[in-house]
Amino acid sequence: QQQQQQQRCMSTLRPLPEKMRHVSYEPGCDASGLVLAESPLPAVSSNDVLIQVAYSGVGGTDLAQRRGNFNPKAGSPDHHLIMGLEVSGIVAQVGDGVADFRVGDRVAALLYGGGYSQYALAPQQQVLGLPDALSLTEGAAVPENFWTVYANLFEPAFGNLLENPAEKTLLVHGGAGGIGSTALALSRALGVGKIITTVSSEEKAEAAKRFGADAAIDYTGTDFVEGVMEETQGKGADVILCFLGGDYTPRNIAALANHGRLIQLGLRRGKDVTFDFKALMNKWGMVSGGHLRPRTLQQKEATRDALKEHVLPLWESGELDTPEIMEVLALEEAGEAHKMLEEGRVVGKIVLKA
């Protein structure tokens, strides 16, 4: 079966062109400023895997980059300036130092940039072979979401949910979106005892429960702190996953259990935060979190290897549902994908077909 899959992938490989189509933009533009352009293919070095992109994942970090708030560092190669941090596709070429992948392999990859394109380049340490249980469409939803969620919720330095998971309660803000739905599904599959999420509508509450939540609190009508305390009989959440920051921070601390951990993935409600530090100290609490992009290659490889060990087998066995794809749009419709994200219309994941 694996050999048949390899043969099918080889048959869909195109001869390498001189130029590739990709999405271009001017930092600070609105969603309508995403346009198609052409550039030469990125050069493959010893440690690189060149991927013929099938699908590109679209996420919140892309919106920040388009607005000029999350840019590649100065001196980055040209292909890193192309938006997009995750792709699925077929290996088209490998560097002479690449040992684990070969032309024709079905893969997903975490990128430093360059995803909204027909071809993308990734170091081999950030490439993940896709099991037969995942389609290429679903594969594009894996890198950003699963690398981010696994590192922040399950690695010991951060959420540490692999230690006695059945005894812990997790609160995930925004459980219907890409990161949120991943956190719910993965936590359910890895045995977290109680999973609570916040949502903005009954429709999203139903989706969140489908993804794995035990309880969904509609924050438009209920104070989530009160909701968490009611769901936990006054104990609070052992781990909170939040991408909001701002005025949510003191409320998150109020919702923490003793020795709880607040994991911050984003700051959509503001980076300047005021809270009573004594409230955190009284709970012996911890605040942590971070971005994937600045992590070292070795750290990203360690998370990739943890996904191979702990997560891929769950898809192969059927214990973990494959990522839910809400919509597939063409590469030239990237602006529409951004609008859908900005307007809060996304349940699951949007991907672009290269």
Side-chain angles (χ1 to χ4, degrees), residues 125-312:
Q125 293 88 347
Q126 293 174 205
V127 179
L128 180 69
L130 288 179
D132 291 343
L134 283 180
S135 68
L136 286 173
T137 316
E138 295 161 339
V142 170
E144 268 288 298
N145 288 349
F146 280 85
W147 253 273
T148 298
V149 167
Y150 190 90
N152 281 280
L153 285 187
F154 295 96
E155 290 183 6
F158 304 106
N160 196 32
L161 280 176
L162 281 185
E163 183 180 282
N164 302 320
E167 300 173 10
K168 293 178 178 175
T169 295
L170 168 69
L171 169 64
V172 176
H173 286 292
I179 288 287
S181 61
T182 301
L184 298 180
L186 194 51
S187 298
R188 168 64 62 228
L190 290 173
V192 174
K194 189 174 185 70
I195 304 169
I196 306 170
T197 191
T198 61
V199 294
S200 60
S201 68
E202 182 58 36
E203 177 191 5
K204 290 185 176 180
E206 291 175 7
K209 290 177 180 177
R210 185 171 72 247
F211 295 138
D214 296 302
I217 300 167
D218 186 340
Y219 63 81
T220 65
T222 302
D223 180 351
F224 79 82
V225 179
E226 294 178 4
V228 168
M229 289 303 174
E230 183 177 336
E231 289 288 339
T232 60
Q233 292 76 51
K235 176 191 167 209
D238 298 291
V239 178
I240 298 176
L241 187 68
C242 181
F243 54 83
L244 297 162
D247 58 351
Y248 263 55
T249 305
R251 298 169 68 197
N252 280 330
I253 291 169
L256 275 180
N258 288 338
H259 305 283
R261 301 181 180 211
L262 169 57
I263 309 298
Q264 202 70 45
L265 291 185
L267 300 164
R268 295 184 191 176
R269 293 179 72 94
K271 64 181 178 58
D272 298 317
V273 173
T274 300
F275 65 91
D276 180 354
F277 212 100
K278 192 172 183 181
L280 183 68
M281 293 169 63
N282 285 344
K283 294 185 173 186
W284 291 76
M286 184 181 92
V287 179
S288 184
H291 296 302
L292 273 183
R293 187 180 270 179
R295 297 199 96 190
T296 67
L297 197 56
Q298 291 72 28
Q299 289 171 324
K300 292 174 185 176
E301 180 183 22
T303 304
R304 190 275 310 268
D305 291 345
L307 293 176
K308 287 170 65 175
E309 179 181 354
H310 297 291
V311 180
L312 292 194

Side-chain angles (χ1 to χ4, degrees), residues 36-68:
L36 285 184
E38 283 194 344
S39 295
L41 271 66
V44 177
S45 64
S46 174
N47 190 51
D48 290 333
V49 176
L50 181 69
I51 299 165
Q52 177 184 293
V53 176
Y55 299 92
S56 308
V58 179
T61 305
D62 301 339
L63 306 186
Q65 182 168 332
R66 193 199 75 225
R67 295 168 185 151

